[in-house]
Amino acid sequence: MYEDKTLICKECGQEFVFTAGEQEFYASKGFVNEPQRCKACRDARRNAAKGEREMYTAVCANCGREARVPFQPREDRPVYCSECFARMRGEE
C-alpha cells in the first residue's frame, strides 16, 4: 500500500527517505502531514530543546574516585562512578 518516498529536509536541504514502514506508523497514529526534517535534524532539534543537564560531583562509594552524576547526591544513598556502576550491573 505504501511506497518509500524521497523528501527534502527543510532544515539542512538534504534528501531523506520516508519509508513505507514510517508512513504506515504515521497513519496508525493519525498523523496527516509528512515529516519536514530528516532524522538527524529532528534529533538535533529535540536535543536542543532539552537544554544542558546539570551534573553533580560526588565520591564513588566503591573506589573513592570522583564521580559526575546527573542527580543531586543524598547522604543516605551510595553513589558510584560509571566504571563501578557498570561492574556492579555485570556490564563490563
Side-chain angles (χ1 to χ4, degrees), residues 8-68:
I8 305 293
C9 177
K10 79 176 196 179
E11 194 80 25
C12 67
Q14 297 293 317
E15 290 185 348
F16 66 99
V17 177
F18 186 34
T19 66
E22 290 171 329
Q23 292 174 51
E24 192 172 340
F25 173 77
Y26 271 52
S28 73
K29 295 292 184 185
F31 301 149
V32 293
N33 298 323
E34 295 177 341
Q36 299 289 307
R37 294 173 179 83
C38 65
K39 176 146 176 50
C41 288
R42 286 193 314 262
D43 290 345
R45 194 172 158 94
R46 189 177 305 119
N47 289 336
K50 288 181 183 177
E52 285 295 313
R53 200 174 208 189
E54 185 174 357
M55 298 295 280
Y56 299 90
T57 303
V59 176
C60 177
N62 192 40
C63 69
R65 291 190 305 208
E66 181 179 291
R68 305 245 325 131

